[in-house]
Amino acid sequence: MENHRKRTVTFLTIGLIFMLSGIEYAVILPTIWRYLQILEAPPYFLGLGLSAFSLSALLTGPLFGVWSDRSKTTKSIILFSNLFEIAGNFMYFIGYSKWLLLCSRLVAGVGAGAGSSIFGFLTRSTLPEERAGIFAAIMACRQAGLLVGPAFNLFLRLCDFKLGPFVVNKYTSPGIFMCLLWTLLQFVVLAGYWDVPPISSQGGVVVGKTPIHTCLHAEEAWARLSSFLSAPNFISASRASRELFQSNLFADFLVDFSVSHITEFLREEVVVLLTAQFITLFNQTALETMVTPLTQRYFSFGELGNSLMYSLCGVEVIVGFFFVRWLSSKVADRVVLAVGLVICCTACIWCLVFLCKPRGADLPLSAFIVGVFLQLLGLPFVAVSQVSLFSKVTAEKTQGFSQGVRRSVGGLATILGPLWAGGLTNNLYIMLGMMLALLVMITVSKAGAFH
């Protein structure tokens, strides 16, 4: 029962971590453009600032993953990575120049790289049949952060005072606000996070109790090892072979590590899931980039209209994640993935037909609402199922590194997606046509890999 309680509290702490990441995105995104303008930054700095966070997370994710795989712990990794979030947001608060602002997002992104270690921990500490539901709840926490984040902006925009030599206003206040939240999170992690014993998908170690036969085997193995180590012939042999052992051990490890991972990532189902990760996030961020110019051009939405739209979208996504959490206990992950891909293809076709050439004043708004609704409806299905499937088709002992690679692929997509859509907002046929082609390709590939 004690381990079960620790496991539950730890999962709640992880949910809080992901919620803070959503809040950070929601409080910084609305003001960063004007902040850069005040610092006399050229327009392209907005893209650099938004991409810098994803870039550093992309590069550090696999490194944190390897660390967690080797140490089998994540608490110390989270505490260490949060220091980068604290430092990065404090640099954002200072904001003396556009370069410091850019560096602040790079530094904060390093902290986000620990997400690979967290997903590796979740894989090791959950049973396969419950994994998708837990992933769905964790992802919903980030969406909840995105939803409540704008509410914090209501009082952050009222800030207008000095804190020592620093100016606190509506542009700098998100930095110091997130710095304080990440600092408070350190104490929450210290008090409410445990590296609970892993659960083997083959039925080995179970959280909350250790099988008797495991204890007996451990005692027997220890007795044999102690006897062997104390033998004179072992002592003499170890002296003779120590130099050879030390010279070859690390090289052998590197060869075994690289070969095993190259082989694993070349398997068909792993390639398909990584491709699905890239395509879905590429399309999602491309559509997010396209939405604001479209609402301004066709519907004259201002800040209030866009804020209301994003809030409704957040509610839909959160409901979707919890629906997928329930559905994943009823059907297989590959079925959930197939449903999500079909919905995304339908959304893309709808946008191609109705949004590329608006035919009337009333039709575009209704068509736009349906297109956005369908796109967001498919997101939870694809996001949860592909993470859950990926954790099951890759080795449990290296889940941290594998999840780091998966998140890096997603990070690359979030960088390239806005770049692709940003230059094609006036050529929707090309933009949406390519997105649909990618979706059809991955849907067909999925059918072949998970038949």
Side-chain angles (χ1 to χ4, degrees):
M1 288 300 296
E2 180 65 18
N3 271 337
H4 179 74
R5 184 189 65 81
K6 289 182 178 180
R7 181 172 179 261
T8 301
V9 175
T10 299
F11 287 175
L12 291 174
T13 303
I14 291 174
L16 183 60
I17 293 171
F18 277 80
M19 179 179 285
L20 282 193
S21 69
I23 292 175
E24 178 177 354
Y25 185 85
V27 299
I28 285 179
L29 184 63
T31 56
I32 187 173
W33 171 230
R34 181 59 184 153
Y35 196 1
L36 286 168
Q37 286 180 320
I38 293 174
L39 297 173
E40 300 180 348
Y44 64 83
F45 256 74
L46 176 61
L48 290 177
L50 296 177
S51 299
F53 186 90
S54 298
L55 178 63
S56 53
L58 177 156
L59 296 174
T60 57
L63 299 179
F64 281 122
V66 172
W67 182 3
S68 65
D69 289 337
R70 299 295 303 277
S71 65
K72 301 302 179 185
T73 60
T74 52
K75 183 174 183 177
S76 57
I77 296 174
I78 293 172
L79 291 171
F80 176 72
S81 65
N82 282 351
L83 295 176
F84 289 91
E85 288 278 11
I86 295 169
N89 280 286
F90 188 75
M91 292 166 62
Y92 186 91
F93 164 64
I94 296 173
Y96 282 127
S97 71
K98 58 182 181 291
W99 295 107
L100 182 61
L101 202 68
L102 180 61
C103 290
S104 74
R105 300 313 295 155
L106 275 170
V107 172
V110 174
S116 59
S117 300
I118 293 175
F119 275 105
F121 166 79
L122 289 174
T123 299
R124 289 189 293 267
S125 57
T126 55
L127 294 171
E129 56 268 23
E130 67 176 346
R131 194 169 298 157
I134 291 175
F135 284 163
I138 296 299
M139 292 177 180
C141 288
R142 186 177 190 278
Q143 292 299 321
L146 291 172
L147 187 61
V148 303
F152 291 112
N153 275 329
L154 294 177
F155 72 85
L156 290 176
R157 67 185 180 87
L158 301 176
C159 294
D160 187 16
F161 59 92
K162 276 198 169 186
L163 189 65
F166 306 115
V167 176
V168 183
N169 55 37
K170 62 181 179 181
Y171 305 117
T172 62
S173 57
I176 192 64
F177 176 70
M178 290 310 306
C179 181
L180 290 174
L181 287 186
W182 286 112
T183 302
L184 291 175
L185 182 68
Q186 292 287 75
F187 295 101
V188 175
V189 173
L190 285 170
Y193 192 103
W194 291 270
D195 288 303
V196 294
I199 296 178
S200 171
S201 60
Q202 286 78 29
V205 180
V206 179
V207 171
K209 58 181 180 180
T210 303
I212 296 178
H213 64 83
T214 303
C215 297
L216 294 176
H217 287 176
E219 292 178 3
E220 181 182 353
W222 177 251
R224 291 181 179 180
L225 180 63
S226 300
S227 175
F228 177 68
L229 293 177
S230 61
N233 59 346
F234 172 78
I235 297 174
S236 59
S238 64
R239 290 171 180 169
S241 61
R242 185 178 302 159
E243 183 178 349
L244 180 63
F245 175 79
Q246 291 176 341
S247 64
N248 291 329
L249 178 62
F250 187 66
D252 289 344
F253 167 76
L254 288 179
V255 171
D256 180 66
F257 184 81
S258 60
V259 170
S260 64
H261 276 79
I262 290 174
T263 303
E264 182 173 66
F265 288 124
L266 289 179
R267 288 164 52 203
E268 181 183 11
E269 58 269 31
V270 176
V271 171
V272 168
L273 289 172
L274 288 176
T275 306
Q277 167 85 352
F278 179 87
I279 291 175
T280 52
L281 284 178
F282 178 89
N283 286 3
Q284 178 194 348
T285 53
L287 287 171
E288 287 176 353
T289 305
M290 176 191 75
V291 161
T292 304
L294 281 182
T295 57
Q296 182 181 16
R297 183 188 311 165
Y298 295 124
F299 317 123
S300 301
F301 280 11
E303 292 183 359
L304 179 60
N306 283 327
S307 297
L308 179 60
M309 178 186 66
Y310 282 121
S311 297
L312 293 174
C313 290
V315 172
E316 181 192 351
V317 172
I318 291 173
V319 172
F321 273 118
F322 281 103
F323 176 75
V324 171
R325 174 182 170 85
W326 170 82
L327 184 64
S328 62
S329 64
K330 308 295 181 182
V331 299
D333 290 336
R334 63 180 183 273
V335 177
V336 178
L337 178 59
V339 172
L341 290 173
V342 169
I343 295 174
C344 289
C345 288
T346 304
C348 220
I349 292 172
W350 180 277
C351 293
L352 267 172
V353 173
F354 293 108
L355 295 186
C356 291
K357 282 189 177 181
R359 300 172 184 171
D362 296 330
L363 181 60
L365 181 57
S366 58
F368 176 80
I369 292 174
V370 173
V372 172
F373 174 81
L374 289 174
Q375 178 63 34
L376 294 176
L377 182 64
L379 177 63
F381 289 83
V382 177
V384 173
S385 58
Q386 62 93 3
V387 177
S388 180
L389 280 171
F390 188 80
S391 71
K392 295 172 183 176
V393 300
T394 51
E396 286 188 8
K397 64 179 181 179
T398 55
Q399 273 297 300
F401 177 77
S402 299
Q403 294 291 343
V405 171
R406 181 191 64 79
R407 287 172 61 87
S408 294
V409 170
L412 181 62
T414 61
I415 294 173
L416 296 179
L419 295 177
W420 168 258
L424 292 171
T425 53
N426 294 320
N427 298 280
L428 295 183
Y429 272 122
I430 297 176
M431 186 182 79
L432 292 171
M434 176 61 74
M435 292 163 58
L436 178 60
L438 292 173
L439 280 171
V440 171
M441 180 190 74
I442 194 59
T443 303
V444 174
S445 300
K446 179 266 168 195
F450 296 96
H451 55 276

